[in-house]
Amino acid sequence: MRVLSRFKASTIRRWLLAVGAAAVDPAGVLVCAVLLWLGTAGLCIAMLLVSREDAYHQAIQVGRNLTLVLERDIVRSVELYDLSLRAVAEGAANPSVMSLPKELRNQVLFERPTTARYLGPITVYGPDGTVQACSIETSIRRTHRPDVRWFITQAEKTDAGLYVSAPYASRTAGGKIVLALGRQITSPDGKFAGVVVGRLSIDYFRELLDGLSVGKQGGMAVIETNGILLTRLPYNRNDVGKDFSHSPVFVRFMKDGAGSFVGTATIDGVRRLYVYRHIHGLPFVVGVAPALSEVYAGWRWRASWVALLMALFTVALAAGAWSLMSELRRRQVARAQLQRMARRDALTGLENRGTFDEVSRREFLRAKRNGTPLSLLFIDIDNFKAYNDHYGHQAGDYVIKRVASRIASRVFRPGDHVARYGGEEFVVVLPETDAGSAVLIAEEIRLAIYELDIKHVKSQYGRVTISIGAASSGEPDTVDEAALIKAADMATYDAKSTGRNRVCWHTASNGLNADEHIKNTEPGDQAHP
């Protein structure tokens, strides 16, 4: 269990280190910046969507509250008036009351009727439509009304409920638009005995809506269940009494007793959020309809600020990410340069001594493991101290760079390595290369330097030349990389002691100093193993 826990902890630690290393990489910074932006943008979008939904539901709640206020006011006013109509209907159904003298009869009939600004006089009609009594005598202009719609409807009713007419222009009210509110008068024996009628001015509904507000483009309306408009906000007298029973909005109104939906008004074409309620016990529907543009006005303002802040955040994030990526790139370049400097020679650009030691050790172990040959060339510039003393150190540096470049140009394979061993000495590591092939490569390098024809008055050849020693891991005495390097170094020493500008290679039969077994080449000839 402990081992498993340690393994898990080690795995998590390695994973965290890998994530941390990726995060401080320019590409990682870019990915993190993009993820941060996407996360922030997603959060802002989610907040805006929630805020938009809240604005919608808040508008619905406000609409419901307004419809409830309208319903309660209308129900209360109509109920008060209806109580008066009932009282008059009860008195008119009593023969004793109706047989009283006119003044006394009227006093008994209209003792309790409610009087208000928008309530008209109450009139009692007999079964034949003849006016029998009125709360205000001066309002009686026609004494016979058997042909009007509200009388006919009341006479044909089978129930004793309140009757509400469609809006009409009342002659007795000076042409004002009113609603007729009526109740049947039923005799003690259950027969139709007439109608009690009062009127309610449409101005009541208009003033009721005028006291409320749902925005500049919003609207409110009171409409009968048959589709006849009683009033709306904003008010237009020409709209009162119009039939909207075929309007899509009204059709939606009639689906349920209360609800909300989004629709386009038939009157002005404005898209609104409709919240409606059927008034219980009355043939009225009240609707509140704020314009969608105003419902989301506050949300749009917040969304604009969020968008602006998001844009500023995006610019800041992009600038910060770019600056950080630039700095990380600069550091990566600097680190790469330091690593290159740590592994490369500053003057020639070849691998340095430390890198050579690492490579030679690795390649020797690989050759031993795979059973393949490994060859090493040790190169030394002939009479370099004399060249330096005669031509100066700058010229010496120039020669070192030219020689290094020409050596590198003759080593083609990706797995081969060329390094500056120190001063005017160079080494070439040739994996999977036997002694014969190594000598051929060495000879190509020697000739390439010879053909540079760099003047050297202190040399017996009159130009810059090199001596090369070669050794291979295939010999019994090259048991490790140190022995291989020593063998190639001694072969180079032999090349110098036998005339310079030549290639010598090491064989185990002669040890490291037996001249008779060190092959060499003449100055202009190729060496052969």
Side-chain angles (χ1 to χ4, degrees), residues 306-513:
V306 170
L308 177 60
L309 293 176
M310 192 63 195
L312 294 176
F313 171 75
T314 301
V315 172
L317 180 62
W322 180 261
S323 299
L324 183 56
M325 289 169 62
S326 299
E327 179 63 19
L328 289 174
R329 288 195 193 97
R330 187 189 68 77
R331 292 190 179 189
Q332 281 186 339
V333 171
R335 188 183 303 112
Q337 290 176 344
L338 289 174
Q339 290 177 346
R340 185 177 181 276
M341 291 173 62
R343 298 183 63 84
R344 295 278 175 174
D345 177 65
L347 179 63
T348 62
L350 299 178
E351 294 176 353
N352 59 18
R353 173 67 179 273
T355 306
F356 164 72
D357 290 341
E358 178 186 332
V359 168
S360 62
R361 187 180 305 111
R362 183 180 69 241
E363 293 299 336
F364 191 90
L365 293 174
R366 180 183 297 172
K368 186 177 180 179
R369 183 172 61 251
N370 297 336
T372 56
L374 173 67
S375 295
L376 183 72
L377 305 182
F378 205 101
I379 303 171
D380 188 86
I381 301 176
D382 297 328
N383 300 304
F384 184 72
K385 184 178 184 304
Y387 185 92
N388 244 359
D389 293 341
H390 183 76
Y391 292 100
H393 290 286
Q394 289 185 342
D397 289 345
Y398 171 76
V399 168
I400 289 176
K401 288 193 289 185
R402 289 294 305 277
V403 170
S405 176
R406 188 55 65 96
I407 293 173
S409 69
R410 292 300 183 271
V411 180
F412 304 107
R413 298 184 308 175
D416 297 338
H417 296 268
V418 182
R420 185 184 181 190
Y421 195 75
E424 70 278 13
E425 297 173 330
F426 303 89
V427 286
V428 179
V429 180
L430 301 170
E432 300 183 7
T433 304
D434 58 17
S437 300
V439 170
L440 291 176
I441 295 172
E443 182 60 23
E444 288 183 8
I445 294 173
R446 184 194 68 79
L447 287 175
I449 303 304
Y450 189 85
E451 292 171 355
L452 283 175
D453 196 18
I454 301 174
K455 188 176 181 180
H456 187 353
V457 297
K458 297 296 183 178
S459 171
Q460 65 198 69
Y461 301 104
R463 64 178 70 187
V464 173
T465 60
I466 59 173
S467 295
I468 304 177
S472 175
S473 63
E475 299 297 332
D477 58 343
T478 54
V479 294
D480 55 25
E481 71 276 5
L484 181 64
I485 296 170
K486 187 175 182 180
D489 185 27
M490 293 304 297
T492 306
Y493 176 79
D494 290 332
K496 284 183 173 291
S497 63
T498 55
R500 295 184 173 87
N501 188 32
R502 64 191 59 216
V503 177
C504 291
W505 64 95
H506 167 80
T507 60
S509 59
N510 70 330
L512 292 175
N513 296 301

Side-chain angles (χ1 to χ4, degrees), residues 1 4-5 79 93 149 157 209 216-217 225 227 229 236 245 298 310 344 349 367 383 413 432-433 450 473 485:
M1 183 64 71
L4 182 60
S5 298
E79 282 183 348
R149 181 179 296 277
K157 282 180 62 178
L209 298 187
K216 294 181 179 180
Q217 289 187 304
T225 53
L229 181 68
N236 186 344
S245 58
M310 192 63 195
R344 295 278 175 174
N383 300 304
R413 298 184 308 175
E432 300 183 7
T433 304
Y450 189 85
S473 63
I485 296 170

Side-chain angles (χ1 to χ4, degrees), residues 189-396:
D189 58 0
K191 295 182 179 179
F192 174 70
V195 175
V196 177
V197 176
R199 66 169 183 260
L200 177 63
S201 175
I202 292 296
D203 290 341
Y204 160 74
F205 297 101
R206 177 184 175 183
E207 184 175 284
L208 184 62
L209 298 187
D210 284 343
L212 303 173
S213 175
V214 286
K216 294 181 179 180
Q217 289 187 304
M220 286 186 284
V222 180
I223 191 169
E224 291 190 344
T225 53
N226 58 6
I228 303 301
L229 181 68
L230 299 181
T231 189
R232 70 180 295 269
L233 184 70
Y235 180 75
N236 186 344
R237 192 179 188 282
N238 295 329
D239 293 332
V240 176
K242 282 187 176 180
D243 185 357
F244 290 94
S245 58
H246 299 292
S247 167
V249 172
F250 179 77
V251 172
R252 293 289 299 273
F253 279 173
M254 299 308 295
K255 283 188 175 181
D256 299 295
S260 62
F261 62 92
V262 174
T264 303
T266 305
I267 293 177
D268 52 18
V270 176
R271 194 160 179 80
R272 295 185 172 95
L273 169 62
Y274 289 91
V275 183
Y276 64 94
R277 177 188 298 273
H278 288 234
I279 297 180
H280 181 69
L282 295 174
F284 299 144
V285 180
V286 292
V288 176
L292 278 182
S293 59
E294 294 175 344
V295 169
Y296 295 125
W299 175 83
R300 287 194 180 94
W301 183 84
R302 290 191 296 272
S304 299
W305 274 105
V306 170
L308 177 60
L309 293 176
M310 192 63 195
L312 294 176
F313 171 75
T314 301
V315 172
L317 180 62
W322 180 261
S323 299
L324 183 56
M325 289 169 62
S326 299
E327 179 63 19
L328 289 174
R329 288 195 193 97
R330 187 189 68 77
R331 292 190 179 189
Q332 281 186 339
V333 171
R335 188 183 303 112
Q337 290 176 344
L338 289 174
Q339 290 177 346
R340 185 177 181 276
M341 291 173 62
R343 298 183 63 84
R344 295 278 175 174
D345 177 65
L347 179 63
T348 62
L350 299 178
E351 294 176 353
N352 59 18
R353 173 67 179 273
T355 306
F356 164 72
D357 290 341
E358 178 186 332
V359 168
S360 62
R361 187 180 305 111
R362 183 180 69 241
E363 293 299 336
F364 191 90
L365 293 174
R366 180 183 297 172
K368 186 177 180 179
R369 183 172 61 251
N370 297 336
T372 56
L374 173 67
S375 295
L376 183 72
L377 305 182
F378 205 101
I379 303 171
D380 188 86
I381 301 176
D382 297 328
N383 300 304
F384 184 72
K385 184 178 184 304
Y387 185 92
N388 244 359
D389 293 341
H390 183 76
Y391 292 100
H393 290 286
Q394 289 185 342

